Amino acid sequence: MPSFTSFLTVSLLAVGTLAQPAAKREKRHRNNEYCLSNREAQQVATNYGLLISNYSDELANAVLSPDFTDYSESVNTLINSCPQGSAAISLPLLAPTFSNRTQFEIGQGQQPLINFNQLNIWHSCDTVIIRWETTNTANITDVKPVVGLISMETVKAPSNNEYEYWVDTVYSEFDAGAWLQNLQEAGICSGSTAEPVPDPSASTSTMTSHTAPIASTMTPTVSAMPSYN
């Protein structure tokens, strides 16, 4: 009898396929002469998590394909509701958040670093899906955890690349409402008159004015906890 995990993996992949914009489907399986092992899938997941928790252009070049595309209504909602960084411009909710690697590097490079804790992982031959959580999107006493799902389609990277596989297309959604509320309560959002709530557990040396993205003072971490069974 098929395991529940196998059934869940197939279900998640099927939902991801149905949710993909039709214009992007030709990118699927354009180089499918491989099948990711558990170790390789975890490496893909870890690499992408590090782009969120400890970003660098060098890492992005090693992890993402040049025509990397990112779809996220959640990110677009945050950009439209609480833009951070000069690259944050209003986007239609269903439009690609990033249409190539360069756009991602500009946008992500301006964002505060947050922790990124992997909760679960599933994969097919060329797609890795993770459930993840972040707990420090703002430096406030009652910060709300944010949980999301990321589906990452991969392609083979050139032989001289640091990693064997690039992430080519991402479909990512998370609790944008909780994230936005954290930013508003911290006084980070443009036009907000709220003052940040002091965090007793935070060092006074890391407390900053509400005019700066307070989450940027957090220590970036990424935690990988494979859950294949």
Side-chain angles (χ1 to χ4, degrees):
M1 178 179 293
S3 68
F4 174 75
T5 300
S6 298
F7 175 77
L8 178 59
T9 301
V10 172
S11 299
L12 286 169
L13 292 171
V15 170
T17 300
L18 291 173
Q20 295 169 16
K24 298 299 293 182
R25 285 181 179 168
E26 72 275 7
K27 295 182 71 174
R28 292 278 289 134
H29 304 295
R30 66 182 181 185
N31 186 350
N32 63 345
E33 296 179 357
Y34 63 88
C35 197
L36 296 170
S37 66
N38 288 353
R39 179 191 61 79
E40 291 167 337
Q42 183 57 65
Q43 185 67 66
V44 169
T46 298
N47 289 347
Y48 197 79
L50 287 170
L51 287 176
I52 307 303
S53 67
N54 197 19
Y55 177 81
S56 71
D57 286 348
E58 181 181 8
L59 180 63
N61 288 332
V63 171
L64 306 177
S65 70
D67 59 347
F68 168 76
T69 307
D70 184 353
Y71 288 95
S72 177
E73 185 177 4
S74 302
V75 172
N76 291 0
T77 296
L78 282 181
I79 291 174
N80 295 346
S81 304
C82 184
Q84 297 183 73
S86 60
I89 59 174
S90 294
L91 292 168
L93 290 181
L94 300 182
T97 305
F98 304 109
S99 297
N100 55 60
R101 186 171 64 197
T102 299
Q103 288 183 359
F104 179 89
E105 290 175 348
I106 295 172
Q108 186 61 30
Q110 295 181 357
Q111 298 309 302
L113 301 177
I114 59 172
N115 60 23
F116 186 97
N117 304 313
Q118 180 183 305
L119 303 177
N120 304 93
I121 182 171
W122 307 269
H123 72 90
S124 67
C125 279
D126 69 345
T127 299
V128 180
I129 299 172
I130 58 173
R131 178 172 172 263
W132 64 281
E133 177 187 42
T134 183
T135 59
N136 66 342
T137 53
N139 194 355
I140 55 178
T141 55
D142 189 28
V143 63
K144 296 167 182 60
V146 174
V147 174
L149 288 169
I150 302 175
S151 174
M152 295 163 280
E153 295 176 358
T154 65
V155 294
K156 273 274 194 179
S159 58
N160 62 346
N161 193 61
E162 181 178 357
Y163 301 106
E164 188 173 359
Y165 302 99
W166 272 333
V167 176
D168 187 58
T169 308
V170 157
Y171 304 93
S172 172
E173 301 299 343
F174 53 83
D175 188 351
W179 197 319
L180 180 59
Q181 189 171 352
N182 288 337
L183 296 178
Q184 290 172 336
E185 291 180 1
I188 293 174
C189 291
S190 176
S192 173
T193 59
E195 291 292 334
V197 179
D199 184 350
S201 65
S203 168
T204 55
S205 63
T206 63
M207 298 298 288
T208 64
S209 166
H210 70 277
T211 59
I214 298 174
S216 64
T217 65
M218 301 296 187
T219 301
T221 62
V222 59
S223 172
M225 294 182 288
S227 178
Y228 293 106
N229 298 317

